[in-house]
Amino acid sequence: MRNYNISGIQQVGIGTENMVESWKWYADMFQMNVRILEDDTVAELMLPYTGNQPQKRHACIAANLQGGGGFEIWQYSERKPQPIAFDIQIGDLGIFAAKIKSHNITAYHEELSEKYKNIGPIVTDPRGLPTFYIHDPAGNCFQVVEDNYIFLDENRYSGGIVGAMIGVTDIERALPVYQDILGYDTIIYDKNGTFSDWRDLRGGDSQYRRVLLGRSKPHTGPFSELYGTGTIELVQSLDRTPRKIYEGRFWGDPGFIQICFDVINMREIEKYCKEKGFPFTVDSCANKSQFDMGQAAGHFTYIEDPDGTLIELVETHKIPIISKLNLCINLMKRDRTKPLPTMLFRLMKFNKVKFK
């Protein structure tokens, strides 16, 4: 029996060559304009993925208060980021697309099309729902999916992250991570073939197996109402050999570097991951009870799926509510099975970043 809780998708990490310029674009296009955390220090604990050397970096976690997970936008400060040397195709190993939610696909598509060109048409996904794809200036792919849940209505069409498309070599081999450990235990669809919604994407004319996973139980926890529901889509190429997106590159180099889940009871997760054969590869609190980040504190760990895709697990202990006033909430002093009051998230509007 699992004695831990997955509270939702906290964020997707995005490596970039210019953190500020990327953040400005994501704020404009996806309303990722609420600063949860910003840090310009040395990443000392990610040695397995940073050439066994501590690396200085500038990173932020940004959110959209209409609901969904956020972005961790990440840039090396002293090392030159290494872009990928090939064009990513559907099914390449790792996160090749992130899912953004919208409660009005048509209106959001019109809004984005008026100010940006690298956006595909509205198509129909395998569930029969409208969707479209957009690539950011660095080439990262985002799928906009229909989701009518709004946490705080800010009169915008977009929400935050509600999932990812992850390329794997063998879906059956990957399922113990995504179904058993992470709890995405419901198969929404399992389809083989070519897919009309991918016709304009690289590799869209090839054969794939697509498995969309959801949860049979709703998320619970302090941030569960902000995150809402989410899905994980596993994609296996059936007629070509996929390439590993981060082969020969560091964590934090440009692209989708990880998907992160908000959790409760990390030590119980550690036991379960070991039992399943997916031990922690990074543990921020291996020899202490808490990892301090100034106004924020917590416990983060990493596991890998069978193809090496990085999955971050974060147990939040303290989080800033209004950064300028140093107003924080200590989650370890409250019942973490219950959602935080909505009013606390309304106060986070004071953390919105305005770009020139």
Side-chain angles (χ1 to χ4, degrees):
M1 180 178 177
R2 289 175 291 184
N3 296 313
Y4 62 84
N5 184 51
I6 304 290
S7 298
I9 298 172
Q10 185 192 92
Q11 40 92 351
V12 166
I14 307 174
T16 177
E17 296 186 68
N18 188 317
M19 192 275 281
V20 174
E21 287 301 311
S22 295
W23 191 3
K24 181 178 179 180
W25 193 89
Y26 295 135
D28 181 34
M29 304 297 281
F30 302 142
Q31 286 75 62
M32 288 287 176
N33 55 7
V34 175
R35 180 193 282 113
I36 303 298
L37 177 68
E38 187 170 357
D39 192 27
D40 191 3
T41 56
V42 177
E44 298 179 332
L45 301 174
M46 297 299 293
L47 301 185
Y49 306 112
T50 58
N52 291 314
Q53 303 240 351
Q55 300 283 350
K56 193 170 188 301
R57 55 89 170 96
H58 187 192
C60 72
I61 295 179
N64 179 329
L65 291 180
Q66 292 212 154
F71 288 175
E72 181 182 18
I73 310 167
W74 210 100
Q75 176 198 341
Y76 283 102
S77 300
E78 297 175 343
R79 172 184 174 271
K80 181 176 174 56
Q82 183 180 339
I84 192 166
F86 60 90
D87 291 331
I88 297 172
Q89 295 189 53
I90 294 167
D92 279 336
L93 304 179
I95 301 166
F96 66 88
K99 295 176 183 279
I100 294 278
K101 63 188 255 176
S102 173
H103 63 92
N104 190 328
I105 292 282
T106 301
Y108 189 38
H109 187 270
E110 290 177 359
E111 176 189 298
L112 294 182
S113 298
E114 289 177 358
K115 56 185 177 182
Y116 191 65
K117 300 299 182 184
N118 200 359
I119 178 172
I122 295 176
V123 291
T124 302
D125 75 7
R127 291 178 292 178
L129 298 177
T131 187
F132 65 88
Y133 296 85
I134 178 172
H135 291 80
D136 71 10
N140 298 307
C141 181
F142 297 86
Q143 181 194 20
V144 179
V145 298
E146 185 176 78
D147 187 323
N148 293 322
Y149 174 71
I150 299 174
F151 180 58
L152 294 180
D153 192 348
E154 300 202 295
N155 198 31
R156 302 303 298 261
Y157 296 125
S158 74
I161 289 288
V162 288
M165 291 184 174
I166 302 173
V168 300
T169 54
D170 185 332
I171 284 177
E172 301 303 327
R173 198 161 64 100
L175 285 176
V177 172
Y178 297 99
Q179 281 194 316
D180 297 344
I181 293 174
L182 298 175
Y184 288 77
D185 56 350
T186 299
I187 295 178
I188 299 171
Y189 60 70
D190 183 347
K191 295 178 180 283
N192 288 13
T194 57
F195 298 91
S196 60
D197 62 316
W198 284 352
R199 64 176 180 263
D200 294 326
L201 303 182
R202 293 190 188 98
D205 56 351
S206 294
Q207 297 276 326
Y208 299 95
R209 180 183 175 191
R210 297 174 68 170
V211 176
L212 184 68
L213 300 173
R215 290 173 59 92
S216 60
K217 297 179 180 178
H219 292 298
T220 59
F223 308 102
S224 57
E225 292 185 349
L226 170 65
Y227 299 143
T229 58
T231 59
I232 299 295
E233 187 161 8
L234 302 180
V235 178
Q236 178 181 340
S237 178
L238 300 178
D239 59 6
R240 73 176 185 90
T241 300
R243 302 182 70 172
K244 189 171 182 177
I245 294 172
Y246 272 89
E247 186 74 50
R249 297 194 301 143
F250 285 4
W251 171 84
D253 277 332
F256 294 118
I257 55 181
Q258 86 246 338
I259 184 167
C260 174
F261 296 87
D262 192 86
V263 307
I264 299 171
N265 206 345
M266 186 74 80
R267 288 307 172 203
E268 288 300 318
I269 296 177
E270 181 180 27
K271 294 176 185 177
Y272 195 75
C273 287
K274 282 183 178 178
E275 290 175 9
K276 288 291 181 179
F278 299 96
F280 290 170
T281 58
V282 171
D283 185 346
S284 70
C285 298
N287 300 308
K288 54 187 176 182
S289 61
Q290 184 169 272
F291 181 73
D292 192 353
M293 295 172 282
Q295 290 185 324
H299 184 182
F300 73 83
T301 63
Y302 279 77
I303 62 173
E304 298 179 6
D305 81 359
D307 295 293
T309 298
L310 290 179
I311 298 165
E312 185 180 13
L313 306 169
V314 171
E315 185 168 35
T316 304
H317 296 171
K318 183 178 72 171
I319 189 171
I321 301 299
I322 303 179
S323 298
K324 292 179 181 179
L325 301 179
N326 199 29
L327 176 61
C328 305
I329 184 168
N330 188 337
L331 298 171
M332 306 305 285
K333 295 182 178 180
R334 68 183 309 277
D335 184 350
R336 291 187 294 156
T337 65
K338 296 181 179 179
L340 286 169
T342 303
M343 180 55 66
L344 291 177
F345 294 99
R346 293 188 188 278
L347 292 174
M348 287 184 178
K349 292 183 180 184
F350 290 101
N351 297 333
K352 284 188 176 180
V353 177
K354 295 181 179 179
F355 295 93
K356 295 181 180 179

